[in-house]
Amino acid sequence: MTIQARVIVASNRAATGVYADTSGPRLVAGLRDLGCSVEDDSVVVHDGEPVAEALRAAVADGIDVVLTSGGTGVTPTDRTPEATRGVLDFEIPGIAEAIRAYSRDRVPAAALSRGLAGVAGRTLIVNLPGSTGGAKDGLAVLGPLLRHTVDQIRGGDHPRMPEAE
């Protein structure tokens, strides 16, 4: 099964050229390591409505998995969860909870992440923190889940277990 993926970076400063984004390239490489087909570069946009526009474009393009990076904190400009929620058909809270839990013991501020995970159309969307550490941790959690989740979104069935006698 080929999984088409895209990375969207929500960063007002990176979008205006104040600094180069570092989390996007890490996510692109990590998704490739997980066997996904990923565009060469991440899409860098301002936080807020531009994130929603980029997500809607990914859904329209038939992308299987979109990872966003950034905009999940509690600063006044962090609007990625709100932009994402407006695009989702339904949430998968366990994914976002697992990502926070994975990081929380090492990085207590991980508990402040408001990132969401869910499905829009047939696209899995997961919000990750904007740090390279957040990208790494998000990929660690998603690695074992990604293929099964995409298969389920595509309508796959759970493997049948032999019934107990």
Side-chain angles (χ1 to χ4, degrees), residues 51-142:
V51 172
E53 292 169 8
L55 291 172
R56 285 191 288 271
V59 172
D61 289 345
I63 301 296
D64 298 303
V65 176
V66 177
L67 301 183
T68 70
S69 174
T72 62
V74 296
T75 72
T77 59
D78 288 331
R79 306 304 302 161
T80 297
E82 291 77 14
T84 301
R85 186 171 279 122
V87 175
L88 294 178
D89 295 321
F90 60 90
E91 292 185 33
I92 308 174
I95 292 175
E97 292 165 6
I99 292 167
R100 281 187 284 275
Y102 183 86
S103 304
R104 190 181 52 234
D105 290 340
R106 287 174 285 108
V107 183
L112 297 176
S113 174
R114 299 178 307 111
L116 303 175
V119 176
R122 294 196 175 256
T123 302
L124 172 66
I125 299 171
V126 180
N127 298 153
L128 298 174
S131 67
T132 55
K136 180 182 164 206
D137 289 355
L139 289 166
V141 170
L142 290 170

